[in-house]
Amino acid sequence: MDQKQIFSVSVLTRLIKDTLEGSFGVVSVNGEISNFVRHSSGHWYFTLKDSGAQISGVMFRGNAMNTFFRPQNGMEVVCRGRLSVYEPRGQYQLVVTDMQPRGEGALQLAFEKLKRELHAEGLFDEARKRELPAYPSVVALVTSPTGAAVRDLISVISRRNPAVQLLMVPVQVQGAGAAEQIVRGLQLCNDYGEIDVIITGRGGGSIEDLWAFNEEIVARAIAASVIPVVSAVGHEIDVTIADHVADLRAATPSVAGELVVPALDDILSWLKETTITAGKFVDSLLRRRADEFRSALADRALTRLDGRLRTLRQLTDERGAQLHRGMDRVIERRSHAAELQRERLAAHDPERLFRRGAVLLERDGRRITSVAQLHAADIVGITLRDGHIQAAVTEVQRHG
């Protein structure tokens, strides 16, 4: 054998790698996901297969974070990337830079698969779902702080009962990383603790737009919440995995506000009716007892006690009057407290803040609260009361 033709394993593998990578540029491959693993590093490892063959695939953390859905075994996808050789194992693989489900059918199949699995685990069972408090004091909104959906939700709750405190937990509700932000928002609410109900959701959109609420991690976070969760995603025809797991599903965000918060006028009306009913009951009871006493006195001809009976009747009348006055004072205090809450909520109305000159500054869908988050040449979005601006940062000056 010619000694010049003897290669080390490393050299031969490197030659194969160079040949393979040099022969193929960027390729797009259609196949079915199997053996999917999300490593703690954030990298995705999987096998892409069809009826006749399979190829190993890897998607590194940076690209995986920009993928709007989480792959599942059995999902058909189109992967775009380059062929490479993993030299320590002498194994060729596809290094994926972009992954898309193959049409809405793939997402629908993934939806049905996860739905069956979670249903089998009992996460959809009505027995594990909790009743919402009848009169919540603090309601948390885990959703995007911008858009018509959250404005409608805040408007409905404020109109029905301004005494209810709203806690805004801003999260991304669409695209890469949205599911993780929703999970974190739910966890923050549970860590805070002083919350009666959580409402999470968004406005309508395509199945891709709503996909964050079909992710398994979001479903399990809702199930794990010790605070009752209301899911309000999309329009009435849109149904997500989050809707099935939540303690209550609202057809729209506006409907969620109506289901969670009772109208203040209804509460005051109920208190008034209860006061009247209680007064009538007391009057009836006292009259019946007085009649019984009078009958007993007549039978025994104890007229001497008649004066005492009149005194008792007078005393009961006074007690009844005191009860009515006490209930009137309770209603007056509650009405005053409700008005104070209405004024406090109006002071924090986002629309009022915009009219006073406030703006919302965002970059890549995230709010900017410090110049330390910006650099020259960054593209930012500026939301004002009457529109939105895209701008480029030309200089960053930090004070202090």
Side-chain angles (χ1 to χ4, degrees), residues 30 58 123 160 201 206 243 259 336 347 366 373:
N30 173 45
V58 60
L123 265 67
R160 290 179 67 81
S206 65
D243 292 331
L259 294 175
H336 181 64
R366 292 179 173 84
Q373 297 174 250

Side-chain angles (χ1 to χ4, degrees), residues 4-206:
K4 294 181 179 179
Q5 298 302 314
I6 298 177
F7 301 104
S8 68
V9 174
S10 297
V11 170
L12 181 59
T13 302
R14 175 55 60 87
L15 289 172
I16 295 173
K17 175 181 172 70
D18 293 342
T19 301
L20 182 64
E21 294 180 357
S23 300
F24 291 88
V26 176
V27 295
S28 295
V29 183
N30 173 45
E32 179 184 307
I33 293 284
S34 65
N35 302 320
F36 179 81
V37 175
R38 184 182 185 276
H39 195 269
S40 59
S41 63
H43 305 328
W44 291 352
Y45 299 95
F46 53 91
T47 299
L48 200 61
K49 67 178 183 178
D50 58 18
S51 60
Q54 64 181 28
I55 183 174
S56 296
V58 60
M59 194 172 194
F60 295 120
R61 181 175 181 272
N63 292 314
M65 289 178 60
N66 292 323
T67 303
F68 80 90
F69 69 101
R70 186 180 297 262
Q72 300 178 26
N73 290 331
M75 180 183 289
E76 188 175 3
V77 297
V78 175
C79 295
R80 181 178 174 82
R82 291 180 176 273
L83 288 173
S84 181
V85 174
Y86 183 58
E87 296 180 55
R89 293 197 187 123
Q91 178 183 9
Y92 83 98
Q93 61 184 0
L94 182 64
V95 180
V96 179
T97 56
D98 179 72
M99 180 186 295
Q100 297 291 333
R102 188 170 176 80
E104 290 191 2
L107 290 178
Q108 189 63 38
L109 289 174
F111 172 88
E112 296 297 339
K113 181 175 181 291
L114 180 59
K115 180 180 175 182
R116 289 193 300 270
E117 292 174 354
L118 298 183
H119 184 274
E121 288 185 34
L123 265 67
F124 298 172
D125 292 351
E126 292 298 323
R128 58 157 292 277
K129 298 185 178 183
R130 293 148 298 189
E131 292 286 339
L132 270 60
Y135 305 103
S137 298
V138 182
V139 177
L141 309 180
V142 180
T143 184
S144 171
T146 60
V150 69
R151 291 180 183 273
D152 291 345
L153 181 56
I154 292 174
S155 175
V156 169
I157 294 177
S158 302
R159 183 180 68 251
R160 290 179 67 81
N161 192 346
V164 173
Q165 299 180 32
L166 295 179
L167 179 61
M168 188 69 203
V169 184
V171 298
Q172 183 181 339
V173 294
Q174 179 178 335
E180 287 77 9
Q181 288 197 25
I182 295 169
V183 169
R184 180 58 180 157
L186 294 171
Q187 292 172 343
L188 286 173
C189 290
N190 280 269
D191 292 342
Y192 181 68
E194 299 179 7
I195 295 172
D196 298 311
V197 183
I198 300 171
I199 299 177
T200 185
R202 54 154 293 156
S206 65

Side-chain angles (χ1 to χ4, degrees), residues 182-323:
I182 295 169
V183 169
R184 180 58 180 157
L186 294 171
Q187 292 172 343
L188 286 173
C189 290
N190 280 269
D191 292 342
Y192 181 68
E194 299 179 7
I195 295 172
D196 298 311
V197 183
I198 300 171
I199 299 177
T200 185
R202 54 154 293 156
S206 65
I207 188 171
E208 291 89 351
D209 295 338
L210 307 181
W211 192 253
F213 293 92
N214 289 323
E215 291 282 9
E216 183 176 357
I217 58 173
V218 173
R220 295 196 182 279
I222 292 174
S225 174
V226 297
I227 302 171
V229 178
V230 177
S231 176
V233 182
H235 303 299
E236 187 170 357
I237 60 173
D238 299 319
V239 180
T240 64
I241 295 294
D243 292 331
H244 290 289
V245 180
D247 298 291
L248 181 68
R249 183 238 173 183
T252 66
S254 297
V255 172
E258 296 175 355
L259 294 175
V260 171
V261 178
L264 181 60
D265 291 342
D266 293 342
I267 297 174
L268 295 177
S269 177
W270 176 83
L271 285 173
K272 185 176 181 180
E273 291 177 1
T274 301
T275 301
I276 295 173
T277 302
K280 290 180 178 179
F281 174 77
V282 172
D283 287 344
S284 176
L285 180 63
L286 293 176
R287 291 179 187 279
R288 188 164 61 250
R289 291 291 183 265
D291 290 342
E292 292 173 358
F293 275 117
R294 275 196 295 269
S295 178
L297 289 173
D299 291 342
R300 298 183 183 184
L302 299 177
T303 57
R304 185 173 56 86
L305 296 179
D306 188 61
R308 295 184 181 179
L309 181 60
R310 285 195 297 271
T311 301
L312 177 62
R313 177 62 181 274
Q314 182 179 359
L315 180 62
T316 57
D317 289 341
E318 291 174 356
R319 291 291 185 267
Q322 290 175 357
L323 176 63

